[in-house]
Amino acid sequence: ADTIVQLLDSLPLFAGMAPQTLEAIVQACPASSFEAGHQLIAENQANPADLYVVLDGQACVIINGTEVGRLEAGDLAGEISSAGISPPVADVIAATDMRALAIPRAVLGELSATDAAFKARLTQAAFSRIRG
């Protein structure tokens, strides 16, 4: 868990958050393993996607059937949906066996409600993804 806390601490989205807060996130959201081919996020899915933080392995980002990017350790997936901007704009599928931290929208909502800077960073991450 310490290495996951260190990874979160190194990411711009979680920058400056108290170690206790990061530890609480890791406790509330255990790392999950996904087999290659597992779909983490579906384009335009009705339910908001969790925010995924890739821990190891790779995931493909696919829009309209075309791979547009790869996610690796430290990359985020689901930030557009998690920030409430729009439904997911891409499929995210495990390209290899991988592990990721899945942070549910409810947890993100609590963080956003108590930490305006976090909410701003989440929104910024989402908009920078949209702009590419």
Side-chain angles (χ1 to χ4, degrees):
D2 287 349
T3 54
I4 298 174
V5 169
Q6 290 169 348
L7 175 65
L8 292 182
D9 190 45
S10 73
L11 301 177
L13 177 59
F14 299 98
M17 293 182 94
Q20 301 89 322
T21 303
L22 297 176
E23 286 168 16
I25 293 170
V26 172
Q27 292 298 322
C29 313
S32 301
S33 295
F34 302 97
E35 292 183 5
H38 179 85
Q39 185 165 23
L40 284 76
I41 299 174
E43 186 174 351
N44 293 319
Q45 69 187 38
N47 298 334
D50 289 344
L51 177 69
Y52 291 94
V53 180
V54 178
L55 301 174
D56 54 53
Q58 290 188 336
C60 302
V61 180
I62 299 170
I63 297 177
N64 297 328
T66 302
E67 183 176 325
V68 296
R70 286 267 171 146
L71 303 176
E72 299 179 335
D75 288 334
L76 303 176
E79 61 273 44
I80 294 170
S81 175
S82 297
I85 293 168
S86 79
V89 296
D91 293 324
V92 178
I93 298 172
T96 64
D97 289 351
M98 61 175 286
R99 286 187 328 127
L101 197 65
I103 306 175
R105 187 149 182 198
V107 172
L108 295 169
E110 288 174 28
L111 289 169
S112 295
T114 58
D115 185 340
F118 174 81
K119 183 176 184 178
R121 288 192 303 269
L122 179 61
T123 303
Q124 183 180 13
F127 279 118
S128 68
R129 173 76 75 196
I130 292 170
R131 287 194 294 269

